[in-house]
Structures are given as structure tokens and as C-alpha cells.
């Protein structure tokens, strides 16, 4: 199983970034996908998730209305469009996967750094 995240970087407050995560080694369309983030000294925070078909999404209150999660099952890829970025969004972002009936994520990517700073 491999989850390869990309798209992080340095952006000014108010800017946008699009993260991508390409999966391999499992049947992508059977897995709920999500994005989590982590800052130094803190645990991982759930940011967004999307159901296997993409029909339902959830967001943390801190990103609702600014971030959009989507997926393309034909490309085994999940995306996180991040708009109106704030300095408090600075973190390492991880994509994650879990089976539909699972309570917790089972697989994570390597993480991609997002830094929001002027």
C-alpha cells in the first residue's frame, strides 16, 4: 500500500494550494479517503473526508467553507483544494485511507508541508 502526497509549499495568507494524493496497492474505490494535518507538539487533526463514491464529504469546523475535498477513482487520486489560507493552516498534511466500515484510518501517506506566511 502506498499513498503519495504532493502539492504542499509556501503560500501567502489568503492564497490557495491544491494537494493531491495518489494511491496504489489497494482498491482505491473501496476506501474512504481523508486528509489530516499535524503541527509540532500536537496530534493529528482530521481536516476532511470523502466517501468511496465521492457523494458525501465532511470537514472540520476550522476549514469548512475554505477547503474542498474531491476524488477521481479512475486516477486513484484524492485532492484537497485549500482557499483563503490562514497562518493557522500551517502544518504537515497527510492523506489517509480506511475501509468503509472501519472506525479509524489504516493507511497514511508521507505528508506534505504547507506553510502559510507573508
Amino acid at each position: 500500500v502506498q499513498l503519495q502526497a504532493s502539492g504542499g509549499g509556501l503560500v501567502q495568507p489568503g492564497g490557495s494550494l491544491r494537494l493531491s494524493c495518489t494511491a496504489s496497492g489497494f482498491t482505491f474505490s473501496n476506501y474512504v479517503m481523508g486528509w489530516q494535518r499535524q503541527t509540532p507538539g500536537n496530534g493529528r487533526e482530521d481536516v476532511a473526508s470523502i466517501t468511496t463514491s465521492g457523494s458525501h464529504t465532511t470537514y472540520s469546523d476550522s476549514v469548512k467553507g475554505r477547503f474542498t475535498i474531491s476524488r477521481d477513482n479512475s486516477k486513484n487520486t484524492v485532492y484537497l483544494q485549500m482557499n483563503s489560507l490562514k497562518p493557522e493552516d500551517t502544518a504537515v498534511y497527510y492523506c489517509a485511507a480506511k475501509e468503509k466500515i472501519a472506525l479509524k484510518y489504516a493507511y497514511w501517506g508521507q505528508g506534505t508541508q504547507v506553510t502559510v506566511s507573508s
Side-chain angles (χ1 to χ4, degrees):
V1 172
Q2 189 170 18
L3 296 172
Q4 185 70 40
S6 62
L10 173 64
V11 63
Q12 292 186 340
S16 298
L17 280 177
R18 188 195 197 201
L19 305 184
S20 300
C21 175
T22 301
S24 60
F26 62 100
T27 306
F28 181 77
S29 58
N30 289 348
Y31 280 70
V32 172
M33 298 299 297
W35 289 93
Q36 298 179 320
R37 65 187 182 187
Q38 186 170 22
T39 54
N42 295 308
R44 288 191 186 181
E45 171 194 10
D46 288 318
V47 173
S49 67
I50 187 167
T51 53
T52 55
S53 66
S55 61
H56 186 66
T57 57
T58 60
Y59 299 93
S60 67
D61 287 342
S62 60
V63 307
K64 200 172 294 182
R66 300 186 297 120
F67 290 10
T68 303
I69 188 172
S70 61
R71 67 189 295 161
D72 186 339
N73 287 345
S74 69
K75 296 182 178 179
N76 286 2
T77 301
V78 61
Y79 305 97
L80 186 68
Q81 178 67 44
M82 305 185 294
N83 298 331
S84 302
L85 283 161
K86 304 175 182 180
E88 51 262 45
D89 294 319
T90 296
V92 177
Y93 283 73
Y94 299 88
C95 59
K98 65 178 179 178
E99 294 187 82
K100 281 190 288 188
I101 61 172
L103 294 178
K104 297 183 179 181
Y105 289 108
Y107 308 120
W108 288 267
Q110 84 286 4
T112 185
Q113 176 71 46
V114 172
T115 302
V116 185
S117 175
S118 55

